[in-house]
Amino acid sequence: MRINRRDFLKWSVAAVAALKLEMDMDKLNTVMAAETDPPVIWLLGSGCSGCSISTLNVTNPTTIEDVLQNKISMKYDSTLMAASGESAMQALENAANQYNGQFILVIEGAIPGGASKNNCIIGEQNGVPLTMYDAVLKYGPKAKYVVAAGTCASFGGVAAAAPNSTGCVTVKSLLSGKTANPVVNLAGCPVNATVMVQTLLDLILTGVPSLDSYSRPTKYFNRTVHSVCPRRETEEVSQPGKYGCYEEIGCKGPGNLSPCPSLKWNNKQGWCIQSNYPCIGCTSPAFPLNPVISVSSGD
Amino acid sequence: MSTIKLDPVTRLEGHLKVEVTLDANNAVASATVAGMLFRDFENMLLNRPPRDAAFLTQRICGVCPVPQAVASSKAVEKIKGFKPNLQGLMLRNLIQGANFLDSGITHFYHLSLLDYIQGPQMSPWTGGYTQDLRFNATDTQTLTNHYLSALQIRRKANEMAAIFSGKLPHAANIVPGGVTALPSATEITNFRNYLNDIQSFISSTYQSDVNMLASAYSDYYNVGTGYGNLLTFGVFDTNTSGSLLFPAGTVINGTVGAFSEANIKEYNKYSYYSSPSGQAPASGTTTASYGKSGAYTWLKSPRYNDTPFEAGPLARVWVSGDYRNGVSVMDRHMARYVEMSKLVSNMQTWLDQLTPGASGFTNIGDPVSGSASGLTEAPRGAIGHWLSVSSSKISKYQIITPTCWNASPMDDAGNPGPVEKALIGTQVADPAQPVELLRIVHSFDPCTGCSVHVMSPDGVEMSKFVVQPLGK
């Protein structure tokens, strides 16, 4: 359910007057655009907020200021939102009900399950602690699209690394058969900002993109790092820190599907291999292996 | 007595709950602070090669991953009796410094400012408390505009770091032995261009904004004062002989004292652990005991000389002598500015010391056995990793993060943790909009992804996490 423009403007004028702020019609028009843009609810489970931070770093296709002001309406995001405590949890509940069947649910981090459900509590609703596990079950089926942001949400990742005593499960396994559309796994530790934001825009504009067998968009996860690595034809070197190909010291690039060589990171300022360390395979369902990477101990 | 419960406290990393009781005059009589996420990192590290820890521990916190990698690498290097060369140290300083700048800007503008201004009238900036907003419309608009431009500055700080670190969050190449980047002259120039932009923002916009805040809310120099005890492990090598830009030290009643690692112990009477309390981190064990009577959090209580100490920028600049005004909400904000101003200027110097194309990495391999600590600072305070290696594998790993110091529960003697102490006595004007509590909690810049005391290596599974208000 969306409020119409006139109602919104009326409400905005009242709010501005109540707060004794100066009226700015241009700004209200921008607000109007944003409030009617597709709503997003972002939940953080067992993770590090790295995917949130990575998303804040987006520059391609646009910057986060533009995304938040003009492209989506972020209804719940515990890292950014003004509301706290009870009013934050009310905002979550209200958004899910008001936009039932329309919103995009982004889940960052894995989800402690089984006997460990209480290892991650996202807040209290009506005085009752809401576990991440129950929150995903509660809001996942109401969402139009569900996006697993990062490798923890997609595959368990570091959150579920052995021995996984916190019983972490993935978004896809928890919501199997319960969502309107297939869960989209945006692997990466953290998720690449372009993959994250462009996928949100793709969902809004065209729907669920083509997915591979791990539910990753084939648009980004169709080539191994090695197959397009700019160092593929360079001399193989025997340790990190030297310029060259790291295939013989355990680089995960040959088996890892990832857009890193083309998208790179942080406005294309770098990526792992460019900084002279082999790919550790962070977009892979197996990440993190033990050892993370079998770099030879030197020579 | 009435109770205020804030769950979740938003605008911080992770999951934090705060509960206070108010006396008849609406002053905080008691306070509990609890982390709501348990992740078990220390157990996950066992039986892995020591070099894995720098990668995995970064994933404790996406806001300050770099200090985790540095602490971990330092612990491995100490066992090997190795110290990176100047190039390696300067590269670490520049990457860690960039992470400080990003985190500091994010903290002031995006995590704290909405406690003092009404942001844009749209999600996610609506729905906050409107109690005690003091800026006029013009200043509110200015600060809102700076909130948005600061999003670009914090992003640029990440981009600047990525020139040498590969990427952020989660740097690719801070490993035992140094940093594997081979900075070219072009990359050094690129880094400097970013640094100039950020330095300019700090010296103009940030300086004026933090002063404006301090002026409008000068009473907050007397709010959230807590114990006044400060602790820092020291950070940023200025040469290969161990000199630090911000030295290690303690502050008690304003007086600076020496820091000794041997004085650290962790207590757990009020935490969900049944293992012996009062152990040094290198020898501590952790046995989960969910539902333990009286316990209310998964955080342990690290203490220095059996006393609660606050960690963070204020501790660093007090010990270094750069800022010694007081301990309070506003002093924490001012200290962060003072520190960032000094840091960004020293980063220019460190950049000058890089040699284009030179290696800052030595392939030292994994240690076979031994124990050592790696101590450094995250933006939000002292961070320590305690590592033991046996048969070339990690046999023990303990981590005490800054938020463990700040957001710890009561210790065995009943002394509240520093954030709890800072909340006690606070006058809440409107219990329906307890913005005073948010301002105090946010001034500590808590990061609960890293605060939850991850368990010890004795492999006991902690199967439950509980929220239990302190019964008063």
Side-chain angles (χ1 to χ4, degrees), chain A residues 49 78 83 85 115 118 165 269 275, chain B residues 8 10-11 13 40 180 190 463 465:
Chain A
S49 299
S78 63
N118 290 322
S165 70
Q269 291 306 315
S275 76
Chain B
T10 53
R11 281 180 282 119
E13 197 290 306
D40 198 17
T180 62
N190 187 16
S463 58
F465 182 87

Side-chain angles (χ1 to χ4, degrees), chain B residues 156-328:
Chain B
K156 286 184 180 181
N158 279 271
E159 291 170 8
M160 177 171 74
I163 296 168
F164 298 145
S165 75
K167 78 187 215 300
L168 273 187
H170 308 325
N173 64 352
I174 298 171
V175 290
V179 176
T180 62
L182 296 167
S184 68
T186 307
E187 287 170 335
I188 292 171
T189 302
N190 187 16
F191 195 101
R192 194 182 305 284
N193 290 338
Y194 272 112
L195 192 59
N196 290 341
D197 278 359
I198 296 165
Q199 186 166 23
S200 160
F201 180 87
I202 289 172
S203 64
S204 56
T205 309
Y206 180 26
Q207 181 185 39
S208 105
D209 290 346
V210 75
N211 281 323
M212 204 157 88
L213 186 75
S215 168
Y217 289 88
S218 58
D219 47 326
Y220 274 77
Y221 281 111
N222 297 306
V223 175
T225 52
Y227 291 101
N229 299 332
L230 308 172
L231 170 76
T232 172
F233 292 168
V235 66
F236 296 121
D237 290 274
T238 53
N239 55 38
T240 52
S241 346
S243 302
L244 298 173
L245 183 67
F246 295 103
T250 59
V251 179
I252 299 171
N253 292 328
T255 303
V256 175
F259 163 74
S260 168
E261 189 185 324
N263 295 333
I264 299 173
K265 288 179 186 168
E266 284 197 285
Y267 293 89
N268 62 16
K269 181 176 177 183
Y270 293 94
S271 316
Y272 289 124
Y273 305 101
S274 62
S275 38
S277 193
Q279 303 292 300
S283 55
T285 57
T286 307
T287 307
S289 179
Y290 160 65
K292 189 177 90 175
S293 177
Y296 58 92
T297 178
W298 284 109
L299 300 192
K300 283 187 182 180
S301 299
R303 295 292 185 254
Y304 187 84
N305 276 334
D306 291 337
T307 307
F309 274 75
E310 172 181 336
L314 184 54
R316 292 190 290 264
V317 294
W318 198 300
V319 169
S320 66
D322 295 302
Y323 181 88
R324 289 176 177 171
N325 183 65
V327 177
S328 68

